[in-house]
Amino acid sequence: MKKSGLHLKLVIIMLLLIFSLMAVVCAFLVRGVVSFYLGEFYQNMQEVFSVQEFADDLRAAANEEEGAAQIEDILSAYSGLLGIDAVNRNYYVLDGGNAQVLGGSDGKTEIEISPNILTALNGREGYTSNNSASYMDVALPISGDKGSYIVYIKDNKQTVHDLNMELFMIIMEALVVGLLISVLLSFLLSKTMIIPIQSLTRGANRVAEGDFSQKIEVHTRDEIGVLTESFNDMARQLKDTLEAIDGERNKLSTVFLHMTDGVVAFNHEGVKIHYNPAAEQLLGVSLEDADLDYSVIFGSVEDKETVLALKAPTVIRAEREIKDKTLEIILAPFAGSEGGQNGILALIHDVTQQRKSEQMHREFVANVSHELRTPITNIRSYAETLEDVGEEMPPDDRKHFLQVILNESDRMVKIVQELLMLSKFDAGDNDMRFEDFDIVHSTRNICEALRLNIEKRNMSLSLQAPDKEVICCGDRARLEQVIVNVITNAIRYTPDGGEISVKVGGSDNYVWVSVKDTGIGIPKENLPHIFDRFYRVDRARSRALGGSGLGLSIAKEIIMKHNGEISIDSEPGKGTKVLIRLPKEQSGGESHEA
């Protein structure tokens, strides 16, 4: 809207108002003047002709031979009362039979026959008035013994016309003054109405551009002032609302950007309209490619029309293997705003670890069942044999059978205890009693305790450790359990006559223990799974040597509880080296191992 638009409208309205008012006043004045003069004329005529003496003189003149001339003389004598001026108003004496002019004040010999003259020819007085006529007249019949005559008075309304013209000029002057006043009033109104409206317009434009910083001043308490206050309140509320929406949008954008699940949105035509980085990472493609629409990405899951036809809360779920990941894909339609277009929302969830965990759980249950079934089967078999043979069994065989039953029972107890320990670790039960102790002393005692078993197999065990103490902070019993387990495994999988070397050392922040053997070694492809529960490189050999497949799993859990590391380096036929590294005070640092 132009700045002068409303002002121009106000000026035009004021001009039309003044013009209309003056036109109405002019029309009423002109009509009033005409009516006044008509009424005044006929009233004057009636009053004059009602004078008894005047009427008698006219009737007496009609009885004379020269009646027309005498009537004319009488009219001339009363011309003052009749308002005769021989210019605008005249009198005439007409023949009562044919309305021929017999005499008059202006000397005319012919006049126009008016309705009043016709009335007089019929013997009646003619006082009929007509506002639209250009004249006003009166015709009175006069009858006598010597003849009949018509006294006719005619006024050309010139006085009325002159007065109306004067009134018209006055009205025109008033109109000009009124127009000037309307212009001045329009400028005055612009200060009280247009200027606030223009301020509101500028404020609305600023709000439309997103600028809520300025507040419109309120100078009046009228409707415009109330409107201005309402606009300020609306702008403030709109600002608060937009800020809240912007904050929520930022939060949603942040969540959408950093969420681990992938999200891809398509319009009803299958064209991408939004996606997050996780979707690209999970799908392994660049979604910036315009050719990657719904049919290319998810067309193999379900066609677009089927998904768009779904009704909430129905969704389509599917799993797809993409490269080395297992992805769960959820497809659901979404509706736009009222009258807007709908589309498809695809949610991509990486369930690789979940599926691996489920597989590991199934394998774990199977392994536990298998590990427990073997000793239970042995116990049952030997027990049934003892029951069947009874007293006939030789004492040595009976003793051997009972010893097998006890050994298998101990094996079951050990498996259960180890499972319970792992279960506590999984449940977050950090039942550790930390203390400072000399790991060199502990390792030396362990080696001495196992030396007898080593010597029975003609193996050699060497220990390299500093002469001074190497203090470590941790659960002494659990860490010694780990060292025992590692050395025991080295003894178990090293052939007779082999060598086992144990080294202990420390740095400013770490202590370490390494156990190296000349045993059978571990294939490279088996190393990533060596710490898995119930995992054995050679199941038959391990079970024959008394292993449960849980020792290294427990060892790793204990080391992790101490914020340490345990690693294995091995080569088939050349032996295995196990390195345990622990923080002295549960803080970071570097170790120096040989």
Side-chain angles (χ1 to χ4, degrees):
M1 187 178 104
K2 297 181 179 179
K3 291 184 178 180
S4 59
L6 185 57
H7 179 74
L8 180 61
K9 290 180 181 179
L10 285 174
V11 172
I12 294 174
I13 290 173
M14 293 296 295
L15 292 178
L16 291 176
L17 179 62
I18 297 298
F19 184 81
S20 301
L21 179 62
M22 291 302 175
V24 172
V25 171
C26 182
F28 275 97
L29 285 177
V30 170
R31 183 172 180 178
V33 169
V34 172
S35 298
F36 173 77
Y37 268 89
L38 281 175
E40 186 70 20
F41 172 75
Y42 287 107
Q43 183 180 359
N44 184 31
M45 293 299 105
Q46 287 178 352
E47 288 178 354
V48 173
F49 285 110
S50 297
V51 176
Q52 188 64 39
E53 183 179 357
F54 181 47
D56 292 342
D57 290 343
L58 291 175
R59 282 191 293 271
N63 291 325
E64 300 294 334
E65 289 292 338
E66 298 293 334
Q70 293 185 19
I71 292 174
E72 185 177 357
D73 292 339
I74 294 171
L75 292 175
S76 178
Y78 280 89
S79 61
L81 294 175
L82 294 172
I84 305 300
D85 57 7
V87 177
N88 297 323
R89 186 180 297 181
N90 293 285
Y91 62 82
Y92 299 94
V93 179
L94 307 178
D95 188 307
N98 55 16
Q100 183 180 359
V101 179
L102 301 177
S105 59
D106 59 356
K108 289 182 179 181
T109 58
E110 291 183 2
I111 60 173
E112 182 182 356
I113 303 300
S114 69
N116 284 331
I117 293 177
L118 294 175
T119 301
L121 288 174
N122 292 323
R124 300 190 305 276
E125 295 179 350
Y127 282 100
T128 304
S129 63
N130 187 358
N131 291 343
S132 62
S134 61
Y135 62 88
M136 48 188 178
D137 61 346
V138 173
L140 300 174
I142 304 295
S143 299
D145 295 336
K146 300 299 183 178
S148 61
Y149 305 95
I150 296 175
V151 175
Y152 182 61
I153 308 298
K154 182 178 181 180
D155 192 315
N156 61 9
K157 289 186 178 180
Q158 186 61 43
T159 303
V160 177
H161 293 325
D162 293 342
L163 181 57
N164 284 338
M165 185 58 66
E166 187 68 23
L167 287 174
F168 180 75
M169 294 304 297
I170 294 174
I171 291 173
M172 289 302 295
E173 293 175 357
L175 179 61
V176 173
V177 174
L179 294 178
L180 293 176
I181 293 175
S182 67
V183 174
L184 294 176
L185 286 176
S186 67
F187 281 105
L188 180 62
L189 286 174
S190 68
K191 293 183 179 180
T192 58
M193 184 171 67
I194 298 177
I195 292 177
I197 292 176
Q198 290 176 345
S199 298
L200 280 172
T201 303
R202 289 192 295 269
N205 290 333
R206 289 196 301 269
V207 170
E209 294 172 356
D211 181 11
F212 301 94
S213 60
Q214 298 185 14
K215 179 181 179 181
I216 302 176
E217 296 295 332
V218 180
H219 300 288
T220 60
R221 304 303 302 173
D222 55 9
E223 287 80 0
I224 294 180
V226 174
L227 177 61
T228 304
E229 289 183 348
S230 299
F231 180 83
N232 288 332
D233 293 339
M234 180 198 70
R236 183 174 60 256
Q237 293 179 6
L238 182 60
K239 178 183 178 183
D240 296 340
T241 302
L242 290 178
E243 288 178 350
I245 292 174
D246 189 59
E248 292 298 324
R249 183 173 62 248
N250 290 336
K251 285 190 275 187
L252 290 176
S253 298
T254 302
V255 172
F256 185 75
L257 184 64
H258 296 94
M259 64 187 301
T260 56
D261 288 345
V263 178
V264 185
F266 303 88
N267 61 14
H268 67 288
E269 295 179 350
V271 179
K272 297 186 301 294
I273 57 178
H274 209 40
Y275 60 87
N276 64 346
E280 291 184 312
Q281 182 180 1
L282 292 174
L283 294 174
V285 296
S286 175
L287 294 179
E288 293 182 358
D289 188 353
D291 295 333
L292 293 177
D293 57 4
Y294 175 85
S295 60
V296 175
I297 303 174
F298 299 112
S300 61
V301 177
E302 190 61 76
D303 61 90
K304 177 182 63 179
E305 289 72 18
T306 302
V307 179
L308 290 174
L310 295 176
K311 301 296 182 182
T314 305
V315 298
I316 293 177
R317 295 177 181 270
E319 285 192 9
R320 291 292 184 271
E321 298 289 339
I322 298 180
K323 297 183 179 180
D324 58 344
K325 296 187 291 290
T326 302
L327 303 181
E328 181 184 26
I329 300 173
I330 301 174
L331 301 176
F334 68 86
S337 58
E338 185 175 357
Q341 298 289 349
N342 57 352
I344 299 175
L345 188 67
L347 179 64
I348 309 164
H349 182 56
D350 188 355
V351 295
T352 304
Q353 294 301 324
Q354 180 180 342
R355 296 296 177 262
K356 287 183 179 179
S357 298
E358 292 174 355
Q359 181 63 27
M360 290 176 62
H361 177 71
R362 289 192 291 269
E363 292 178 355
F364 178 76
V365 172
N367 288 331
V368 170
S369 301
H370 183 73
E371 292 296 333
L372 292 178
R373 183 173 63 249
T374 300
I376 290 175
T377 301
N378 291 336
I379 292 173
R380 183 178 180 86
S381 298
Y382 280 89
E384 288 177 346
T385 302
L386 285 173
E387 182 181 16
D388 293 340
V389 176
E391 297 296 333
E392 298 177 1
M393 180 176 287
D396 292 341
D397 291 341
R398 178 186 294 273
K399 183 177 180 181
H400 172 69
F401 276 38
L402 292 175
Q403 187 63 44
V404 170
I405 292 174
L406 290 175
N407 291 339
E408 294 298 323
S409 298
D410 292 339
R411 181 180 174 188
M412 285 177 46
V413 170
K414 182 180 179 182
I415 292 175
V416 172
Q417 288 177 342
E418 290 177 344
L419 287 174
L420 289 175
M421 183 182 299
L422 287 172
S423 177
K424 288 183 178 181
F425 289 153
D426 292 339
D429 185 2
N430 191 13
D431 186 17
M432 299 288 177
R433 299 178 181 178
F434 290 91
E435 60 178 333
D436 291 336
F437 67 96
D438 181 11
I439 195 168
V440 173
H441 178 71
S442 295
T443 305
R444 184 175 286 110
N445 289 339
I446 293 171
C447 290
E448 291 299 325
L450 296 174
R451 192 174 296 277
L452 181 60
N453 294 333
I454 292 174
E455 291 176 352
K456 286 181 180 179
R457 298 180 56 187
N458 297 321
M459 299 171 65
S460 64
L461 174 63
S462 63
L463 173 62
Q464 297 180 15
D467 294 334
K468 61 181 181 179
E469 294 182 343
V470 177
I471 303 300
C472 175
C473 180
D475 189 321
R476 181 172 183 171
R478 294 291 178 85
L479 292 177
E480 289 179 350
Q481 177 185 353
V482 172
I483 297 173
V484 168
N485 183 278
V486 172
I487 297 177
T488 301
N489 282 343
I491 297 172
R492 182 178 298 148
Y493 297 104
T494 299
D496 294 348
E499 297 179 358
I500 299 174
S501 62
V502 180
K503 296 181 180 180
V504 182
S507 64
D508 294 337
N509 299 314
Y510 282 89
V511 299
W512 52 268
V513 177
S514 69
V515 178
K516 187 177 181 180
D517 61 55
T518 59
I520 60 177
I522 304 172
K524 186 176 180 180
E525 62 272 14
N526 298 116
L527 286 176
H529 307 285
I530 201 67
F531 293 105
D532 293 348
R533 299 173 186 182
F534 292 110
Y535 185 82
R536 297 186 181 91
V537 177
D538 187 345
R539 292 184 177 272
R541 179 181 175 88
S542 299
R543 189 174 293 109
L545 295 175
S548 65
L550 296 175
L552 288 179
S553 298
I554 295 174
K556 184 177 181 180
E557 292 290 342
I558 293 174
I559 297 301
M560 290 177 62
K561 294 293 183 181
H562 286 78
N563 299 316
E565 297 176 359
I566 180 171
S567 60
I568 296 179
D569 185 17
S570 182
E571 186 176 349
K574 294 184 178 181
T576 302
K577 177 182 178 181
V578 180
L579 175 64
I580 301 170
R581 192 175 67 165
L582 298 167
K584 283 186 175 182
E585 298 180 357
Q586 303 298 316
S587 61
E590 294 295 334
S591 63
H592 302 279
E593 59 271 0

